[in-house]
């Protein structure tokens, strides 16, 4: 009998957030199946902010992390370049994890190896004091932790002013069942941006499932061409699209997922 593939509302009651963090985020290297992927994503984020952060005022800029789950890694590199971060997550358990970490409470996930890696290695800023300062900076930058649902007319479920930046990572392809839904989701995220604002995304290419917690989870099969189409239709101009192929042994013998590549995308909302 084939294994049932879970998706959607199953994330509310069948997804163990703490177990996920332990399996995939215990160290900066991530899961064993993600060889090289960690450096690729962190380096792409660093390069994006290095190249484009002069285009907004970091003293007032607001960033939305949409569908962030309970993961903060993409925000470690973003924190010095924005003034406020709104963290939006679908499941209450995910929002609780972010609250625990932000407040420095017992039981919070330990992200220290990620801070050390990004600040000391990727950004090449030496010293323990550097990554510890970044940790406190990010805590102060996260000013709101809210619920989200990409299928609602207002995906943030509350009134928010437009953002200078929207970041989303490995989210929409897990939520959307069809390419049509995916295109509508991209349009909604574009609608949360100010004119000239930036959408920054990490996408899995041509993945149909991933395995976690003894369960099989759905992923929408996407190609780079489809992502380009969705962004163009949403009025976004693509600035960066970089691809990191999955290791060949992972492609030939998928143990955690059947992804073929990670794709980092940065796009800017066209001003008409």
């Amino acid at each position: 009998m084939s294994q049932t593939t879970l998706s959607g509302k199953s994330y509310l009651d069948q997804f163990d957030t703490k177990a996920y963090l332990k399996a995939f985020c215990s160290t900066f290297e991530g899961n064993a199946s993600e060889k090289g992927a960690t450096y690729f994503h962190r380096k792409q984020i660093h390069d994006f902010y290095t190249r484009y952060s002069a285009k907004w005022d970091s003293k007032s800029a607001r960033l939305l992390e949409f569908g962030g789950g309970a993961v903060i890694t993409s925000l470690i590199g973003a924190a010095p370049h924005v003034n406020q971060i709104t963290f939006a997550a679908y499941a209450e358990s995910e929002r609780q994890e972010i609250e625990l970490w932000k407040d420095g409470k017992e039981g919070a996930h330990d992200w220290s190896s990620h801070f050390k890696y990004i600040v000391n290695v990727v950004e090449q800023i030496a010293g323990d004091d550097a990554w510890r300062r970044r940790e406190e900076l990010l805590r102060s930058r996260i000013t709101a932790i809210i619920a989200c649902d990409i299928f609602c007319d207002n995906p943030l479920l509350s009134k928010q002013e437009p953002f200078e930046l929207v970041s989303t990572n490995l989210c929409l392809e897990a939520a959307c069942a069809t390419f049509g839904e995916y295109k509508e989701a991209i349009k909604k995220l574009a609608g949360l941006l100010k004119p000239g604002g930036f959408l920054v995304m990490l996408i899995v290419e041509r993945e149909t499932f991933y395995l976690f917690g003894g369960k099989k989870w759905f992923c929408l099969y996407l190609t780079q061409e489809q992502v380009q189409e969705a962004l163009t239709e949403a009025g976004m101009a693509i600035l960066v699209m970089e691809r990191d192929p999955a290791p060949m042994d992972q492609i030939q013998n998928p143990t955690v997922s059947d992804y073929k590549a990670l794709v980092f995308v940065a796009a800017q909302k066209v001003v008409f």
Side-chain angles (χ1 to χ4, degrees):
M1 182 180 295
S2 61
Q3 187 176 10
T4 300
T5 302
L6 302 176
S7 62
K9 293 188 182 300
S10 295
Y11 280 95
L12 298 176
D13 58 11
Q14 296 195 51
F15 191 88
D16 187 330
T17 300
K18 281 191 177 293
Y20 178 87
L21 291 175
K22 183 177 181 180
F24 289 91
C25 304
S26 288
T27 73
F28 72 87
E29 295 172 318
N31 187 274
S33 67
E34 303 173 306
K35 299 173 185 175
T38 299
Y39 182 77
F40 168 77
H41 185 212
R42 312 305 181 251
K43 181 66 163 55
Q44 290 299 322
I45 288 174
H46 172 66
D47 289 351
F48 167 76
Y49 285 106
T50 299
R51 183 173 180 181
Y52 291 102
S53 61
K55 295 184 177 294
W56 61 83
D57 183 357
S58 62
K59 294 180 180 179
S60 61
R62 297 165 58 248
L63 180 150
L64 169 67
E65 178 70 16
F66 186 88
V71 179
I72 63 169
T73 47
S74 68
L75 301 176
I76 297 172
H81 305 287
V82 298
N83 181 255
Q84 297 179 34
I85 296 171
T86 296
F87 194 103
Y90 179 57
E92 183 179 359
S93 63
E94 297 167 341
R95 299 191 294 274
Q96 289 173 344
E97 285 294 329
I98 299 300
E99 292 276 8
L100 281 175
W101 178 81
K102 175 176 166 55
D103 295 340
K105 291 184 177 179
E106 184 178 352
H109 186 72
D110 180 5
W111 294 99
S112 60
S113 72
H114 298 264
F115 279 91
K116 292 175 186 177
Y117 179 70
I118 291 169
V119 176
N120 297 155
V121 179
V122 178
E123 298 179 8
Q124 297 185 345
I125 304 172
D128 278 353
D129 57 333
W131 71 262
R132 292 184 188 279
R133 286 197 304 270
R134 182 67 59 82
E135 191 174 41
E136 292 312 308
L137 178 65
L138 181 53
R139 283 193 169 103
S140 70
R141 290 290 190 257
I142 298 175
T143 55
I145 300 168
I146 64 174
C148 66
D149 187 337
I150 195 62
F151 296 110
C152 292
D153 291 339
N154 175 5
L156 297 181
L157 310 179
S158 60
K159 183 174 175 55
Q160 302 284 335
E161 294 299 316
F163 296 86
E164 279 80 9
L165 298 107
V166 172
S167 166
T168 188
N169 302 285
L170 311 179
C171 168
L172 300 184
E173 55 268 52
C176 299
T178 67
F179 182 48
E181 289 184 354
Y182 183 82
K183 290 196 289 185
E184 287 303 311
I186 292 290
K187 288 177 182 176
K188 287 181 180 179
L189 294 190
L192 298 173
L193 285 167
K194 290 182 175 182
F198 296 83
L199 177 61
V200 183
M201 304 191 296
L202 183 69
I203 299 157
V204 279
E205 178 191 305
R206 292 181 288 156
E207 177 176 299
T208 65
F209 74 89
Y210 72 95
L211 303 174
F212 166 67
K215 300 179 177 70
K216 185 177 183 181
W217 297 86
F218 170 83
C219 187
L220 178 65
Y221 183 100
L222 287 172
T223 65
Q224 286 190 77
E225 291 74 21
Q226 286 177 311
V227 174
Q228 290 170 342
E229 178 182 332
L231 288 166
T232 300
E233 289 186 11
M236 302 295 298
I238 298 172
L239 305 173
V240 180
M241 182 171 275
E242 295 290 342
R243 184 176 185 272
D244 183 48
M248 186 55 64
D249 57 346
Q250 160 68 21
I251 293 175
Q252 294 175 340
N253 183 32
T255 55
V256 176
S257 77
D258 62 345
Y259 90 104
K260 305 303 185 293
L262 287 175
V263 181
F264 177 85
V265 181
Q268 186 172 24
K269 188 171 182 176
V270 176
V271 179
F272 295 98

